[in-house]
Amino acid sequence: VQLQASGGGLVQPGGSLRLSCDASGFTLDYLSIGWFRQAPGKEREGLSLITKNSGGTYYTESAKGRFTISRDGAKNTVYLQMRNLKPEDTAIYYCATSNRAVLPIADEFDYWGPGTQVTVSS
């Protein structure tokens, strides 16, 4: 069983990145998937969630309007499309799974993969 976030990198302010959350050994469709980030010296912050079954989505204020979460069942992958990135978006980004979460609250998530670094800088 493995969960892996990827797609991070260095991007200029105003740029875009698409993060992927890939799973092996289990099916993401049956779980709610959340995206989180943690900047140096700060607490882990919830960004977005896509629910199991219905695929409903939720965004926190930090993500609303700039980030889009989506799911590709055929690829067993959940994406986080990020646009108009700002220096304050610099952080390690994580995806996590839950069988009960309806909001991206870290304590509601059970399984976490290694994060991917996103750096927004000119």
Side-chain angles (χ1 to χ4, degrees), residues 21 28 31-35 48-50 69 71 78 95-97 109:
C21 179
L28 291 181
L31 297 166
S32 295
I33 309 300
W35 280 99
S48 184
L49 169 144
I50 187 164
I69 192 170
R71 187 195 295 273
V78 171
C95 60
T97 67
F109 286 76

Side-chain angles (χ1 to χ4, degrees), residues 62-109:
S62 295
K64 201 174 293 184
R66 297 188 300 128
F67 296 179
T68 304
I69 192 170
S70 61
R71 187 195 295 273
D72 185 334
K75 295 183 178 180
N76 205 27
T77 299
V78 171
Y79 300 102
L80 186 70
Q81 177 70 51
M82 306 188 296
R83 298 177 298 274
N84 190 23
L85 285 163
K86 305 173 182 180
E88 52 264 41
D89 294 316
T90 295
I92 299 174
Y93 285 68
Y94 301 88
C95 60
T97 67
S98 173
N99 60 11
R100 63 191 181 281
V102 294
L103 295 173
I105 298 173
D107 287 348
E108 295 293 310
F109 286 76

